Amino acid sequence: MNPTPGKTNDSLSDSNSEDARQQQIPHKKKSSTQLPQPGTTQGSCAFDSAMMILVPITDAAHVVHGPSGCAASIWGSYSSLSSGSMLYKIRFSSDIDENDIIFGGAKKLYKGILELQRRYKPAAVFVYSTCITALIGDDIEGVCKDATEKTGIPTIPVHCPGFIGNQNLGNRVAGEAMLSHVIGTAEPDTITPYDINLIGEHNIAGAIWNVLPLLEKLGIRVLAKITGDAVYKEICYAHRAKLNVLLSSKALINMAKMMEKQYGIPYIEESIYYGIEQINQFLRNIAAKLGNSDLQESTEKLIAEETAAIDEKLAPYITKMQGKRVILVIGSFKSWLIIFAAKKLRMQVIAIKTNSNTEEDRTRVKSLLGQDGIILDQNSPQEILQIISENQADMLIADKRHQDTSLIARIPFLDINQERNHAYAGYIGILEVAQELYAAFYNPVWEQVCQPAPWLKDGEAENSLEENI
């Protein structure tokens, strides 16, 4: 039987969960086992986030047991890249309809799994429950067991109906599925003293490819990527790594803790996205944790070489961008990315919207922006225009909803959306950000935008901004 929402929460809760600690409010305690409330899963539910974790396993087939619309909800804007198999890009669904809701969809699911295994010969099959199939009680656990026995191809159930919780719970469900059914089921051909796992990186826009060459230069082998550009077999022997490097602590920290408990693999939490200092620290901490003095010496030499090379490449952009004043209206990880990039380019972030961050994040942002920095709790066009006018901002960085605001203010605009279309990781990533900022700021179109409209009389153009505030 599929687990109930309460049982799922209990099995995956962790008293040390970073997300639970950060989001607790003193007068309003949040239990890790509380049932979800109506509307809390809107936008990104447990089903979506579980698939986002597991779909980057490139040579596996991913089957949505539910209506075809559920399968369409995840693949459309997902940009995890593969260096090998493209099987993970194919949408598989049991396409549950009204008759299946009445009579059950387990047989239909079983036949569908056998057919796709016959046609595509996947390394494994992941089967995802949805709200409808969980409510009607389809036994995907039993179906997966029967399909595995019939074909010999591992078929893994993922109990992730959207109603069990939000994005963080879906991440934990995916980690639990890998721990229960995948990790520890195979052995690598060889092992080395410098085998590590990278956990929580999904190779969005090819970000992981900016980092792997650095590790290779140091002789550090990435035994398993969980799960960006991964193949199923490498995750099976991830338990033989000497170190887990957690690149997204909120997503799979429970998985890292369980691997430490079951297999004795220590873990560290690092970042490869937030500038040169962070990638330097990433390399240093891995070398230090692996505990080899020669490796640490090689790491310092590599850092010196890479830092010198990237500083030389950034020099022209610093000359062009230093002193520019920007307003940042982004509610995602990219806000941190832009802050660190702006500081490297000697730009000034005068205001930032951080309404989705914790109090700890707000304190950190304030320290980075300085005493004069403005933290926006709202992102209304009127408020942004007011800040642009009062602080003589040179550029607005936001998603496309705010493009009209920049046009009214007649300042350059950079569209930074929630999806990642560029690889921002590692040393190359900071150069990518610098190039985007430069290209947006010096785009010739803004010279035309700043010109008064032909139909305006003298003096009207100057008053247009004030009229919109």
Side-chain angles (χ1 to χ4, degrees):
M1 293 294 291
N2 295 351
T4 63
K7 290 180 180 178
T8 302
N9 282 330
D10 290 340
S11 66
L12 295 175
S13 64
D14 191 310
S15 58
N16 293 323
S17 169
E18 178 180 336
D19 185 58
R21 291 198 310 270
Q22 289 186 347
Q23 294 188 7
Q24 281 184 350
I25 301 174
H27 63 279
K28 207 173 186 180
K29 291 188 177 179
K30 182 178 178 181
S31 170
S32 61
T33 59
Q34 68 182 19
L35 293 176
Q37 300 299 317
T40 57
T41 62
Q42 184 177 0
S44 183
C45 64
F47 166 76
D48 276 345
S49 55
M51 291 203 70
M52 288 178 70
I53 294 292
L54 296 172
V55 161
I57 303 174
T58 59
D59 60 348
H62 301 270
V63 181
V64 175
H65 184 40
S68 57
C70 291
S73 69
I74 186 64
W75 268 279
S77 60
Y78 204 60
S79 56
S80 176
L81 301 184
S82 169
S83 59
S85 173
M86 299 301 291
L87 178 61
Y88 74 115
K89 289 289 188 180
I90 302 177
R91 307 182 188 193
F92 296 103
S93 171
S94 58
D95 193 19
I96 292 298
D97 57 23
E98 291 85 349
N99 286 334
D100 300 317
I101 294 173
I102 296 170
F103 298 107
K107 290 183 179 179
K108 186 176 185 180
L109 173 64
Y110 178 71
K111 291 180 180 178
I113 292 172
L114 295 184
E115 178 63 17
L116 79 85
Q117 289 176 339
R118 183 186 69 81
R119 284 191 182 189
Y120 295 95
K121 301 294 188 296
V125 178
F126 288 86
V127 181
Y128 305 83
S129 63
T130 58
C131 294
I132 291 176
T133 53
L135 286 171
I136 65 177
D138 276 353
D139 182 16
I140 68 168
E141 193 92 32
V143 170
C144 291
K145 182 179 179 181
D146 291 343
T148 301
E149 293 175 351
K150 176 75 173 177
T151 64
I153 297 175
T155 307
I156 297 103
V158 185
H159 300 291
C160 56
F163 60 71
I164 66 171
N166 61 12
Q167 179 177 357
N168 291 323
L169 185 58
N171 294 334
R172 296 172 193 169
V173 168
E176 182 81 0
M178 285 187 281
L179 281 169
S180 300
H181 301 283
V182 184
I183 295 174
T185 60
E187 296 293 333
D189 295 333
T190 60
I191 58 174
T192 75
Y194 303 142
D195 288 343
I196 68 171
N197 297 324
L198 297 180
I199 299 179
E201 167 52 44
H202 312 310
N203 202 36
I204 306 300
I208 198 68
W209 298 334
N210 289 354
V211 176
L212 294 179
L214 300 173
L215 298 172
E216 290 174 4
K217 288 179 181 179
L218 296 173
I220 297 172
R221 183 174 72 160
V222 177
L223 192 65
K225 302 178 291 292
I226 303 176
T227 52
D229 193 24
V231 295
Y232 178 77
K233 186 177 180 180
E234 71 182 65
I235 299 177
C236 293
Y237 51 63
H239 63 296
R240 293 305 182 194
K242 303 299 187 297
L243 176 67
N244 280 331
V245 182
L246 197 63
L247 300 177
S248 181
S249 58
K250 290 184 180 181
L252 292 171
I253 191 168
N254 281 32
M255 180 181 183
K257 290 178 179 179
M258 288 301 296
M259 290 183 73
E260 183 174 39
K261 182 178 180 180
Q262 292 181 20
Y263 303 110
I265 305 174
Y267 72 91
I268 56 175
E269 299 178 43
E270 299 297 329
S271 171
I272 55 175
Y273 288 104
Y274 301 144
I276 295 174
E277 293 76 13
Q278 282 66 36
I279 190 66
N280 289 347
Q281 199 64 34
F282 163 79
L283 295 172
R284 284 193 181 105
N285 289 347
I286 292 176
K289 200 68 178 180
L290 291 174
N292 183 284
S293 57
D294 292 337
L295 177 61
Q296 290 176 281
E297 184 178 342
S298 300
T299 301
E300 292 301 328
K301 182 179 179 181
L302 177 65
I303 288 173
E305 293 173 354
E306 294 290 339
T307 302
I310 197 64
D311 284 344
E312 182 179 353
K313 292 177 182 177
L314 288 175
Y317 298 99
I318 294 174
T319 301
K320 292 289 187 179
M321 300 301 293
Q322 63 181 340
K324 299 296 186 289
R325 299 162 63 84
V326 300
I327 295 176
L328 188 57
V329 186
I330 311 171
S332 69
F333 89 103
K334 287 184 178 178
S335 60
W336 294 105
L337 174 69
I338 297 295
I339 289 176
F340 283 105
K343 287 178 69 69
K344 185 64 179 177
L345 296 175
R346 301 174 191 170
M347 301 169 68
Q348 182 181 357
V349 179
I350 58 177
I352 182 172
K353 188 209 80 166
T354 60
N355 63 332
S356 63
N357 290 336
T358 65
E359 203 58 43
E360 181 181 349
D361 288 333
R362 292 173 68 90
T363 302
R364 188 182 179 198
V365 166
K366 192 67 178 176
S367 67
L368 289 171
L369 268 57
Q371 290 297 325
D372 297 330
I374 302 170
I375 296 180
L376 301 172
D377 290 321
Q378 302 296 327
N379 58 348
S380 65
Q382 292 78 13
E383 184 181 11
I384 295 172
L385 286 170
Q386 183 76 32
I387 293 173
I388 291 172
S389 177
E390 293 177 353
N391 295 273
Q392 298 181 337
D394 297 305
M395 188 177 193
L396 175 62
I397 303 173
D399 60 36
K400 60 185 177 182
R401 294 175 299 170
H402 295 283
Q403 186 170 8
D404 288 345
T405 306
S406 73
L407 294 175
I408 293 171
R410 293 192 179 89
I411 62 173
F413 174 78
L414 175 60
D415 179 9
I416 296 285
N417 53 31
Q418 294 292 335
E419 294 78 26
R420 282 177 261 176
N421 300 316
H422 302 276
Y424 294 124
Y427 298 105
I428 301 175
I430 196 70
L431 179 61
E432 183 73 43
V433 178
Q435 291 171 341
E436 285 192 58
L437 289 169
Y438 172 82
F441 190 84
Y442 287 98
N443 191 320
V445 72
W446 300 116
E447 183 179 350
Q448 299 298 319
V449 168
C450 292
Q451 297 296 323
W455 57 84
L456 292 178
K457 297 178 181 179
D458 293 341
E460 289 183 356
E462 287 76 8
N463 298 327
S464 61
L465 176 57
E466 288 76 7
E467 292 172 358
N468 283 280
I469 295 177

